Amino acid sequence: MEDRGPHDLARDLRPQEYGKTRPTTIDDALIEPAWPGVRLFAAVADGRATLWIAGEPLDRHAEVAGALERAVGRAAVDGAIFEAYLTKQGDSEGVGVRTWPKEYPTITGTMTRMFIGGRRNRLQEYEERREAEAAELDFGQDDVVSLVIVDLLWLDGQWLLDVPLLERKRILESIVPAEALVRPGPYVRQPIASWIGSWRAQGFRAMTFKSANSRYRPGETADDWTLADMPRR
């Protein structure tokens, strides 16, 4: 298996899944906004980048693959495999997210909230969320998309699966600089109160918590990785 090139290796990879652990129990968590869009693996070798989704190559968005080829080429890397998200480019913030559909209040609704208070319509929120998530996975021909890279799994002939996550991210940042179409995903540590408002304003609806010391086990569920909804306030 190790004699195979990164393109073949990436084709057979399956993502590590998030566990149901409470975020507060994860030791030294690296916290990231949960990117909307398509989770995939990207392989670069021999001057060529391939994006793999569930074992199938993505033929569209050659501009993104080309940007990744150039970025890795400048780093003088022979080959690499990344975990990433293909996501729609933000209109103003440049963060590749789509904001929630905005609901404009009616006069009747406003008066009702003034006198009897507002109630959350959870069914409506659920339907809006499903519609937004479906839209994020639907890439039109004219959509501008970018590749946000969140992990580095293989580099120059060596798997990095047993390297702690924080070190993998540091190596990733030394290989792929932040550019318009391809960039490493941001991450922070506690406290995160100052980040939540910004992420929520940019349209993010959830966060990921991953132990800084976590390893990567393709296709398995990680007890030291979890997802959490973005706080509403």
Side-chain angles (χ1 to χ4, degrees):
M1 180 176 178
E2 296 305 320
D3 293 333
R4 300 165 63 199
H7 295 288
D8 288 335
L9 294 173
R11 178 189 60 201
D12 295 336
L13 279 175
R14 294 298 179 267
Q16 177 166 283
E17 301 298 337
Y18 293 92
K20 298 182 182 289
T21 312
R22 291 189 178 186
T24 54
T25 66
I26 294 180
D27 184 49
D28 191 16
L30 304 183
I31 305 154
E32 308 166 61
W35 289 90
V38 178
R39 189 181 184 186
L40 53 77
F41 295 103
V44 183
D46 304 319
R48 177 171 60 94
T50 306
L51 307 181
W52 295 96
I53 301 175
E56 296 294 330
L58 181 65
D59 296 327
R60 292 184 297 167
H61 308 298
E63 71 284 358
V64 173
L68 182 59
E69 292 167 5
R70 292 189 294 273
V72 173
R74 288 192 294 269
V77 168
D78 292 331
I81 298 176
F82 307 97
E83 184 182 57
Y85 286 85
L86 191 66
T87 184
K88 294 183 181 182
Q89 184 76 16
D91 293 333
S92 59
E93 296 293 332
V95 294
V97 299
R98 293 174 64 88
T99 58
W100 281 83
K102 292 182 173 61
E103 179 182 330
Y104 295 95
T106 62
I107 294 177
T108 302
T110 300
M111 295 298 292
T112 300
R113 281 189 290 273
M114 286 176 62
F115 289 101
I116 65 174
R119 290 185 179 178
R120 291 177 59 187
N121 188 330
R122 295 187 181 277
L123 178 59
Q124 181 179 351
E125 289 179 359
Y126 173 74
E127 291 299 331
E128 288 179 351
R129 182 165 185 159
R130 287 191 60 184
E131 290 176 4
E133 289 172 348
E136 287 154 2
L137 296 175
D138 182 18
F139 295 106
Q141 192 67 33
D142 297 328
D143 283 332
V144 178
V145 300
S146 60
L147 191 70
V148 178
I149 302 176
V150 296
D151 213 333
L152 173 64
L153 307 180
W154 189 94
L155 181 66
D156 289 346
Q158 299 292 326
W159 285 107
L160 304 183
L161 304 179
D162 286 322
V163 174
L165 174 61
L166 181 58
E167 183 61 24
R168 298 199 307 269
K169 284 186 172 291
R170 287 172 174 167
I171 300 172
L172 164 62
E173 291 172 342
S174 71
I175 296 173
V176 181
E179 298 184 355
L181 294 180
V182 176
R183 59 195 181 276
Y187 62 92
V188 296
R189 283 167 149 149
Q190 294 283 11
I192 62 170
S194 62
W195 291 94
I196 288 175
S198 175
W199 289 346
R200 189 173 58 240
Q202 293 171 29
F204 289 105
R205 298 189 297 276
M207 302 177 289
T208 67
F209 291 75
K210 304 174 184 177
S211 171
N213 197 44
S214 63
R215 274 56 173 173
Y216 197 99
R217 297 291 178 261
E220 298 183 12
T221 298
D223 291 335
D224 51 3
W225 282 24
T226 196
L227 281 162
D229 288 337
M230 190 72 65
R232 299 179 68 87
R233 293 182 181 276

mmCIF file of all heavy atoms in Angstrom, residues 135-177:
data_model
loop_
_atom_site.group_PDB
_atom_site.id
_atom_site.type_symbol
_atom_site.label_atom_id
_atom_site.label_comp_id
_atom_site.label_asym_id
_atom_site.label_seq_id
_atom_site.Cartn_x
_atom_site.Cartn_y
_atom_site.Cartn_z
ATOM 1 N N ALA A 135 -28.427 23.799 -0.065
ATOM 2 C CA ALA A 135 -27.876 24.798 -0.976
ATOM 3 C C ALA A 135 -26.357 24.823 -0.928
ATOM 4 O O ALA A 135 -25.686 25.054 -1.939
ATOM 5 C CB ALA A 135 -28.438 26.182 -0.627
ATOM 6 N N GLU A 136 -25.796 24.569 0.253
ATOM 7 C CA GLU A 136 -24.348 24.587 0.388
ATOM 8 C C GLU A 136 -23.681 23.423 -0.336
ATOM 9 O O GLU A 136 -22.504 23.494 -0.698
ATOM 10 C CB GLU A 136 -23.979 24.553 1.880
ATOM 11 C CG GLU A 136 -24.266 25.873 2.572
ATOM 12 C CD GLU A 136 -24.521 25.725 4.058
ATOM 13 O OE1 GLU A 136 -24.428 24.577 4.562
ATOM 14 O OE2 GLU A 136 -24.809 26.733 4.718
ATOM 15 N N LEU A 137 -24.428 22.355 -0.560
ATOM 16 C CA LEU A 137 -23.880 21.193 -1.263
ATOM 17 C C LEU A 137 -24.151 21.247 -2.757
ATOM 18 O O LEU A 137 -23.669 20.403 -3.504
ATOM 19 C CB LEU A 137 -24.482 19.906 -0.688
ATOM 20 C CG LEU A 137 -24.157 19.615 0.773
ATOM 21 C CD1 LEU A 137 -24.921 18.385 1.238
ATOM 22 C CD2 LEU A 137 -22.661 19.406 0.959
ATOM 23 N N ASP A 138 -24.920 22.229 -3.183
ATOM 24 C CA ASP A 138 -25.298 22.351 -4.593
ATOM 25 C C ASP A 138 -24.426 23.424 -5.243
ATOM 26 O O ASP A 138 -24.637 24.610 -5.055
ATOM 27 C CB ASP A 138 -26.784 22.719 -4.703
ATOM 28 C CG ASP A 138 -27.229 22.813 -6.154
ATOM 29 O OD1 ASP A 138 -26.523 22.276 -7.029
ATOM 30 O OD2 ASP A 138 -28.269 23.441 -6.412
ATOM 31 N N PHE A 139 -23.433 22.973 -6.002
ATOM 32 C CA PHE A 139 -22.522 23.910 -6.657
ATOM 33 C C PHE A 139 -22.952 24.108 -8.096
ATOM 34 O O PHE A 139 -22.930 23.165 -8.905
ATOM 35 C CB PHE A 139 -21.085 23.384 -6.615
ATOM 36 C CG PHE A 139 -20.523 23.288 -5.221
ATOM 37 C CD1 PHE A 139 -20.379 22.062 -4.606
ATOM 38 C CD2 PHE A 139 -20.144 24.421 -4.528
ATOM 39 C CE1 PHE A 139 -19.865 21.959 -3.322
ATOM 40 C CE2 PHE A 139 -19.637 24.336 -3.246
ATOM 41 C CZ PHE A 139 -19.500 23.106 -2.645
ATOM 42 N N GLY A 140 -23.356 25.338 -8.408
ATOM 43 C CA GLY A 140 -23.722 25.662 -9.776
ATOM 44 C C GLY A 140 -22.499 25.969 -10.617
ATOM 45 O O GLY A 140 -21.392 26.175 -10.115
ATOM 46 N N GLN A 141 -22.726 26.010 -11.915
ATOM 47 C CA GLN A 141 -21.618 26.241 -12.845
ATOM 48 C C GLN A 141 -20.955 27.589 -12.612
ATOM 49 O O GLN A 141 -19.755 27.743 -12.802
ATOM 50 C CB GLN A 141 -22.132 26.148 -14.286
ATOM 51 C CG GLN A 141 -21.037 26.086 -15.345
ATOM 52 C CD GLN A 141 -20.238 24.808 -15.283
ATOM 53 O OE1 GLN A 141 -20.785 23.757 -14.928
ATOM 54 N NE2 GLN A 141 -18.963 24.873 -15.623
ATOM 55 N N ASP A 142 -21.738 28.577 -12.180
ATOM 56 C CA ASP A 142 -21.207 29.930 -12.015
ATOM 57 C C ASP A 142 -20.823 30.252 -10.567
ATOM 58 O O ASP A 142 -20.385 31.365 -10.287
ATOM 59 C CB ASP A 142 -22.244 30.958 -12.496
ATOM 60 C CG ASP A 142 -22.540 30.806 -13.978
ATOM 61 O OD1 ASP A 142 -21.620 30.410 -14.726
ATOM 62 O OD2 ASP A 142 -23.689 31.078 -14.391
ATOM 63 N N ASP A 143 -20.992 29.306 -9.659
ATOM 64 C CA ASP A 143 -20.636 29.562 -8.265
ATOM 65 C C ASP A 143 -19.127 29.687 -8.105
ATOM 66 O O ASP A 143 -18.356 28.926 -8.697
ATOM 67 C CB ASP A 143 -21.135 28.433 -7.354
ATOM 68 C CG ASP A 143 -22.620 28.522 -7.080
ATOM 69 O OD1 ASP A 143 -23.149 29.650 -7.109
ATOM 70 O OD2 ASP A 143 -23.249 27.475 -6.851
ATOM 71 N N VAL A 144 -18.705 30.659 -7.316
ATOM 72 C CA VAL A 144 -17.294 30.800 -6.967
ATOM 73 C C VAL A 144 -17.054 30.021 -5.691
ATOM 74 O O VAL A 144 -17.704 30.263 -4.674
ATOM 75 C CB VAL A 144 -16.919 32.281 -6.769
ATOM 76 C CG1 VAL A 144 -15.458 32.413 -6.353
ATOM 77 C CG2 VAL A 144 -17.178 33.061 -8.055
ATOM 78 N N VAL A 145 -16.152 29.060 -5.738
ATOM 79 C CA VAL A 145 -15.898 28.221 -4.572
ATOM 80 C C VAL A 145 -14.429 28.311 -4.179
ATOM 81 O O VAL A 145 -13.582 28.750 -4.960
ATOM 82 C CB VAL A 145 -16.280 26.749 -4.842
ATOM 83 C CG1 VAL A 145 -17.750 26.626 -5.195
ATOM 84 C CG2 VAL A 145 -15.407 26.162 -5.945
ATOM 85 N N SER A 146 -14.140 27.907 -2.964
ATOM 86 C CA SER A 146 -12.756 27.867 -2.494
ATOM 87 C C SER A 146 -12.539 26.570 -1.728
ATOM 88 O O SER A 146 -13.486 25.884 -1.350
ATOM 89 C CB SER A 146 -12.449 29.081 -1.600
ATOM 90 O OG SER A 146 -13.306 29.077 -0.471
ATOM 91 N N LEU A 147 -11.285 26.241 -1.507
ATOM 92 C CA LEU A 147 -10.903 25.031 -0.796
ATOM 93 C C LEU A 147 -10.287 25.440 0.532
ATOM 94 O O LEU A 147 -9.251 26.112 0.569
ATOM 95 C CB LEU A 147 -9.899 24.226 -1.621
ATOM 96 C CG LEU A 147 -9.612 22.802 -1.129
ATOM 97 C CD1 LEU A 147 -10.821 21.913 -1.364
ATOM 98 C CD2 LEU A 147 -8.389 22.224 -1.838
ATOM 99 N N VAL A 148 -10.944 25.050 1.623
ATOM 100 C CA VAL A 148 -10.443 25.333 2.964
ATOM 101 C C VAL A 148 -9.849 24.040 3.506
ATOM 102 O O VAL A 148 -10.557 23.045 3.679
ATOM 103 C CB VAL A 148 -11.558 25.850 3.882
ATOM 104 C CG1 VAL A 148 -11.013 26.100 5.286
ATOM 105 C CG2 VAL A 148 -12.159 27.135 3.320
ATOM 106 N N ILE A 149 -8.550 24.042 3.757
ATOM 107 C CA ILE A 149 -7.846 22.827 4.172
ATOM 108 C C ILE A 149 -7.764 22.794 5.691
ATOM 109 O O ILE A 149 -7.290 23.742 6.319
ATOM 110 C CB ILE A 149 -6.433 22.782 3.548
ATOM 111 C CG1 ILE A 149 -6.547 22.843 2.019
ATOM 112 C CG2 ILE A 149 -5.700 21.525 3.977
ATOM 113 C CD1 ILE A 149 -5.213 22.899 1.316
ATOM 114 N N VAL A 150 -8.211 21.697 6.283
ATOM 115 C CA VAL A 150 -8.265 21.605 7.742
ATOM 116 C C VAL A 150 -7.286 20.591 8.319
ATOM 117 O O VAL A 150 -7.075 20.554 9.528
ATOM 118 C CB VAL A 150 -9.693 21.264 8.218
ATOM 119 C CG1 VAL A 150 -10.660 22.387 7.850
ATOM 120 C CG2 VAL A 150 -10.179 19.944 7.643
ATOM 121 N N ASP A 151 -6.676 19.754 7.462
ATOM 122 C CA ASP A 151 -5.763 18.742 8.006
ATOM 123 C C ASP A 151 -4.779 18.294 6.934
ATOM 124 O O ASP A 151 -5.059 18.374 5.728
ATOM 125 C CB ASP A 151 -6.548 17.534 8.524
ATOM 126 C CG ASP A 151 -5.889 16.876 9.741
ATOM 127 O OD1 ASP A 151 -4.648 16.980 9.866
ATOM 128 O OD2 ASP A 151 -6.607 16.265 10.544
ATOM 129 N N LEU A 152 -3.632 17.827 7.386
ATOM 130 C CA LEU A 152 -2.582 17.274 6.520
ATOM 131 C C LEU A 152 -2.335 15.839 6.967
ATOM 132 O O LEU A 152 -1.964 15.600 8.121
ATOM 133 C CB LEU A 152 -1.301 18.106 6.642
ATOM 134 C CG LEU A 152 -0.062 17.558 5.927
ATOM 135 C CD1 LEU A 152 -0.281 17.513 4.417
ATOM 136 C CD2 LEU A 152 1.164 18.409 6.260
ATOM 137 N N LEU A 153 -2.547 14.878 6.069
ATOM 138 C CA LEU A 153 -2.516 13.465 6.442
ATOM 139 C C LEU A 153 -1.315 12.700 5.885
ATOM 140 O O LEU A 153 -0.943 11.662 6.445
ATOM 141 C CB LEU A 153 -3.801 12.777 5.977
ATOM 142 C CG LEU A 153 -5.116 13.435 6.422
ATOM 143 C CD1 LEU A 153 -6.298 12.650 5.884
ATOM 144 C CD2 LEU A 153 -5.174 13.561 7.931
ATOM 145 N N TRP A 154 -0.720 13.186 4.825
ATOM 146 C CA TRP A 154 0.368 12.461 4.154
ATOM 147 C C TRP A 154 1.287 13.497 3.518
ATOM 148 O O TRP A 154 0.817 14.470 2.936
ATOM 149 C CB TRP A 154 -0.230 11.544 3.093
ATOM 150 C CG TRP A 154 0.669 10.550 2.423
ATOM 151 C CD1 TRP A 154 0.870 9.248 2.770
ATOM 152 C CD2 TRP A 154 1.451 10.746 1.225
ATOM 153 N NE1 TRP A 154 1.727 8.626 1.887
ATOM 154 C CE2 TRP A 154 2.097 9.527 0.928
ATOM 155 C CE3 TRP A 154 1.664 11.841 0.394
ATOM 156 C CZ2 TRP A 154 2.939 9.372 -0.174
ATOM 157 C CZ3 TRP A 154 2.504 11.696 -0.699
ATOM 158 C CH2 TRP A 154 3.130 10.474 -0.975
ATOM 159 N N LEU A 155 2.601 13.296 3.637
ATOM 160 C CA LEU A 155 3.544 14.270 3.101
ATOM 161 C C LEU A 155 4.820 13.582 2.663
ATOM 162 O O LEU A 155 5.460 12.867 3.454
ATOM 163 C CB LEU A 155 3.870 15.336 4.163
ATOM 164 C CG LEU A 155 4.839 16.435 3.742
ATOM 165 C CD1 LEU A 155 4.210 17.305 2.639
ATOM 166 C CD2 LEU A 155 5.224 17.304 4.943
ATOM 167 N N ASP A 156 5.162 13.776 1.392
ATOM 168 C CA ASP A 156 6.435 13.284 0.841
ATOM 169 C C ASP A 156 6.709 11.824 1.195
ATOM 170 O O ASP A 156 7.775 11.460 1.696
ATOM 171 C CB ASP A 156 7.591 14.170 1.310
ATOM 172 C CG ASP A 156 7.567 15.535 0.643
ATOM 173 O OD1 ASP A 156 6.838 15.702 -0.347
ATOM 174 O OD2 ASP A 156 8.276 16.435 1.122
ATOM 175 N N GLY A 157 5.711 10.989 0.967
ATOM 176 C CA GLY A 157 5.897 9.561 1.147
ATOM 177 C C GLY A 157 5.637 9.033 2.534
ATOM 178 O O GLY A 157 5.793 7.832 2.774
ATOM 179 N N GLN A 158 5.221 9.885 3.476
ATOM 180 C CA GLN A 158 5.017 9.459 4.857
ATOM 181 C C GLN A 158 3.612 9.818 5.344
ATOM 182 O O GLN A 158 3.156 10.951 5.164
ATOM 183 C CB GLN A 158 6.046 10.118 5.783
ATOM 184 C CG GLN A 158 7.483 9.771 5.472
ATOM 185 C CD GLN A 158 7.807 8.318 5.766
ATOM 186 O OE1 GLN A 158 7.273 7.731 6.717
ATOM 187 N NE2 GLN A 158 8.689 7.728 4.971
ATOM 188 N N TRP A 159 2.957 8.837 5.985
ATOM 189 C CA TRP A 159 1.694 9.141 6.647
ATOM 190 C C TRP A 159 1.960 9.947 7.919
ATOM 191 O O TRP A 159 2.930 9.690 8.618
ATOM 192 C CB TRP A 159 0.963 7.855 7.040
ATOM 193 C CG TRP A 159 0.313 7.137 5.892
ATOM 194 C CD1 TRP A 159 0.724 5.971 5.313
ATOM 195 C CD2 TRP A 159 -0.867 7.537 5.179
ATOM 196 N NE1 TRP A 159 -0.117 5.618 4.294
ATOM 197 C CE2 TRP A 159 -1.117 6.561 4.196
ATOM 198 C CE3 TRP A 159 -1.737 8.621 5.299
ATOM 199 C CZ2 TRP A 159 -2.186 6.632 3.315
ATOM 200 C CZ3 TRP A 159 -2.813 8.701 4.421
ATOM 201 C CH2 TRP A 159 -3.035 7.719 3.445
ATOM 202 N N LEU A 160 1.082 10.906 8.180
ATOM 203 C CA LEU A 160 1.178 11.723 9.394
ATOM 204 C C LEU A 160 0.021 11.427 10.351
ATOM 205 O O LEU A 160 -0.255 12.228 11.243
ATOM 206 C CB LEU A 160 1.165 13.213 9.022
ATOM 207 C CG LEU A 160 2.235 13.686 8.042
ATOM 208 C CD1 LEU A 160 2.125 15.191 7.829
ATOM 209 C CD2 LEU A 160 3.628 13.315 8.509
ATOM 210 N N LEU A 161 -0.611 10.290 10.188
ATOM 211 C CA LEU A 161 -1.804 9.968 10.971
ATOM 212 C C LEU A 161 -1.532 9.904 12.467
ATOM 213 O O LEU A 161 -2.424 10.185 13.277
ATOM 214 C CB LEU A 161 -2.403 8.642 10.500
ATOM 215 C CG LEU A 161 -2.747 8.546 9.002
ATOM 216 C CD1 LEU A 161 -3.316 7.175 8.675
ATOM 217 C CD2 LEU A 161 -3.720 9.643 8.598
ATOM 218 N N ASP A 162 -0.315 9.519 12.852
ATOM 219 C CA ASP A 162 0.026 9.417 14.277
ATOM 220 C C ASP A 162 0.707 10.669 14.817
ATOM 221 O O ASP A 162 1.099 10.708 15.983
ATOM 222 C CB ASP A 162 0.932 8.205 14.517
ATOM 223 C CG ASP A 162 0.159 6.900 14.437
ATOM 224 O OD1 ASP A 162 -0.993 6.870 14.903
ATOM 225 O OD2 ASP A 162 0.699 5.919 13.897
ATOM 226 N N VAL A 163 0.839 11.687 13.979
ATOM 227 C CA VAL A 163 1.390 12.971 14.430
ATOM 228 C C VAL A 163 0.256 13.760 15.091
ATOM 229 O O VAL A 163 -0.865 13.806 14.564
ATOM 230 C CB VAL A 163 1.968 13.757 13.235
ATOM 231 C CG1 VAL A 163 2.414 15.148 13.665
ATOM 232 C CG2 VAL A 163 3.122 12.981 12.605
ATOM 233 N N PRO A 164 0.476 14.369 16.244
ATOM 234 C CA PRO A 164 -0.597 15.148 16.899
ATOM 235 C C PRO A 164 -1.176 16.216 15.974
ATOM 236 O O PRO A 164 -0.465 16.800 15.154
ATOM 237 C CB PRO A 164 0.107 15.774 18.106
ATOM 238 C CG PRO A 164 1.239 14.838 18.401
ATOM 239 C CD PRO A 164 1.700 14.325 17.069
ATOM 240 N N LEU A 165 -2.464 16.449 16.123
ATOM 241 C CA LEU A 165 -3.171 17.376 15.242
ATOM 242 C C LEU A 165 -2.512 18.750 15.185
ATOM 243 O O LEU A 165 -2.371 19.334 14.104
ATOM 244 C CB LEU A 165 -4.624 17.521 15.715
ATOM 245 C CG LEU A 165 -5.468 18.569 14.981
ATOM 246 C CD1 LEU A 165 -5.600 18.248 13.512
ATOM 247 C CD2 LEU A 165 -6.841 18.698 15.639
ATOM 248 N N LEU A 166 -2.119 19.310 16.324
ATOM 249 C CA LEU A 166 -1.542 20.642 16.326
ATOM 250 C C LEU A 166 -0.284 20.699 15.467
ATOM 251 O O LEU A 166 -0.080 21.661 14.715
ATOM 252 C CB LEU A 166 -1.218 21.077 17.754
ATOM 253 C CG LEU A 166 -0.613 22.479 17.904
ATOM 254 C CD1 LEU A 166 -1.524 23.545 17.316
ATOM 255 C CD2 LEU A 166 -0.304 22.778 19.369
ATOM 256 N N GLU A 167 0.526 19.661 15.526
ATOM 257 C CA GLU A 167 1.740 19.635 14.716
ATOM 258 C C GLU A 167 1.394 19.477 13.236
ATOM 259 O O GLU A 167 2.026 20.096 12.375
ATOM 260 C CB GLU A 167 2.657 18.495 15.172
ATOM 261 C CG GLU A 167 3.980 18.429 14.431
ATOM 262 C CD GLU A 167 4.837 19.687 14.609
ATOM 263 O OE1 GLU A 167 4.649 20.397 15.624
ATOM 264 O OE2 GLU A 167 5.674 19.953 13.732
ATOM 265 N N ARG A 168 0.378 18.676 12.932
ATOM 266 C CA ARG A 168 -0.052 18.538 11.535
ATOM 267 C C ARG A 168 -0.497 19.889 10.981
ATOM 268 O O ARG A 168 -0.205 20.241 9.830
ATOM 269 C CB ARG A 168 -1.189 17.516 11.408
ATOM 270 C CG ARG A 168 -0.812 16.108 11.822
ATOM 271 C CD ARG A 168 -1.773 15.066 11.260
ATOM 272 N NE ARG A 168 -3.174 15.284 11.526
ATOM 273 C CZ ARG A 168 -3.839 14.821 12.574
ATOM 274 N NH1 ARG A 168 -3.201 14.129 13.516
ATOM 275 N NH2 ARG A 168 -5.147 15.041 12.712
ATOM 276 N N LYS A 169 -1.223 20.645 11.790
ATOM 277 C CA LYS A 169 -1.687 21.952 11.326
ATOM 278 C C LYS A 169 -0.530 22.928 11.129
ATOM 279 O O LYS A 169 -0.532 23.741 10.193
ATOM 280 C CB LYS A 169 -2.702 22.527 12.321
ATOM 281 C CG LYS A 169 -4.085 21.864 12.226
ATOM 282 C CD LYS A 169 -5.076 22.553 13.120
ATOM 283 C CE LYS A 169 -6.497 22.038 12.901
ATOM 284 N NZ LYS A 169 -7.038 22.422 11.577
ATOM 285 N N ARG A 170 0.471 22.861 11.978
ATOM 286 C CA ARG A 170 1.617 23.753 11.819
ATOM 287 C C ARG A 170 2.385 23.435 10.545
ATOM 288 O O ARG A 170 2.830 24.338 9.824
ATOM 289 C CB ARG A 170 2.522 23.646 13.044
ATOM 290 C CG ARG A 170 1.942 24.320 14.282
ATOM 291 C CD ARG A 170 2.762 24.035 15.524
ATOM 292 N NE ARG A 170 2.274 24.797 16.679
ATOM 293 C CZ ARG A 170 2.632 24.568 17.936
ATOM 294 N NH1 ARG A 170 3.492 23.582 18.208
ATOM 295 N NH2 ARG A 170 2.142 25.312 18.913
ATOM 296 N N ILE A 171 2.525 22.160 10.242
ATOM 297 C CA ILE A 171 3.183 21.775 8.989
ATOM 298 C C ILE A 171 2.332 22.225 7.805
ATOM 299 O O ILE A 171 2.858 22.752 6.812
ATOM 300 C CB ILE A 171 3.424 20.255 8.948
ATOM 301 C CG1 ILE A 171 4.320 19.820 10.101
ATOM 302 C CG2 ILE A 171 4.065 19.861 7.616
ATOM 303 C CD1 ILE A 171 4.440 18.313 10.239
ATOM 304 N N LEU A 172 1.023 22.031 7.913
ATOM 305 C CA LEU A 172 0.108 22.456 6.857
ATOM 306 C C LEU A 172 0.275 23.932 6.546
ATOM 307 O O LEU A 172 0.362 24.342 5.373
ATOM 308 C CB LEU A 172 -1.326 22.155 7.277
ATOM 309 C CG LEU A 172 -2.461 22.839 6.505
ATOM 310 C CD1 LEU A 172 -2.431 22.426 5.050
ATOM 311 C CD2 LEU A 172 -3.816 22.510 7.139
ATOM 312 N N GLU A 173 0.326 24.764 7.575
ATOM 313 C CA GLU A 173 0.440 26.208 7.373
ATOM 314 C C GLU A 173 1.759 26.594 6.723
ATOM 315 O O GLU A 173 1.855 27.631 6.066
ATOM 316 C CB GLU A 173 0.266 26.931 8.705
ATOM 317 C CG GLU A 173 -1.160 26.834 9.250
ATOM 318 C CD GLU A 173 -1.276 27.375 10.659
ATOM 319 O OE1 GLU A 173 -0.230 27.506 11.335
ATOM 320 O OE2 GLU A 173 -2.405 27.653 11.090
ATOM 321 N N SER A 174 2.789 25.767 6.902
ATOM 322 C CA SER A 174 4.074 26.057 6.263
ATOM 323 C C SER A 174 4.082 25.659 4.789
ATOM 324 O O SER A 174 4.946 26.101 4.035
ATOM 325 C CB SER A 174 5.199 25.316 6.993
ATOM 326 O OG SER A 174 5.138 23.921 6.767
ATOM 327 N N ILE A 175 3.114 24.837 4.384
ATOM 328 C CA ILE A 175 3.039 24.357 3.001
ATOM 329 C C ILE A 175 2.072 25.181 2.173
ATOM 330 O O ILE A 175 2.359 25.543 1.031
ATOM 331 C CB ILE A 175 2.616 22.874 2.973
ATOM 332 C CG1 ILE A 175 3.668 22.001 3.635
ATOM 333 C CG2 ILE A 175 2.356 22.398 1.546
ATOM 334 C CD1 ILE A 175 3.234 20.567 3.799
ATOM 335 N N VAL A 176 0.897 25.462 2.753
ATOM 336 C CA VAL A 176 -0.167 26.124 2.009
ATOM 337 C C VAL A 176 -0.444 27.493 2.618
ATOM 338 O O VAL A 176 -0.992 27.591 3.719
ATOM 339 C CB VAL A 176 -1.453 25.286 2.018
ATOM 340 C CG1 VAL A 176 -2.552 25.985 1.218
ATOM 341 C CG2 VAL A 176 -1.191 23.893 1.451
ATOM 342 N N PRO A 177 -0.080 28.571 1.944
ATOM 343 C CA PRO A 177 -0.395 29.903 2.459
ATOM 344 C C PRO A 177 -1.858 30.254 2.206
ATOM 345 O O PRO A 177 -2.532 29.619 1.391
ATOM 346 C CB PRO A 177 0.536 30.810 1.639
ATOM 347 C CG PRO A 177 0.687 30.084 0.336
ATOM 348 C CD PRO A 177 0.669 28.609 0.673
#
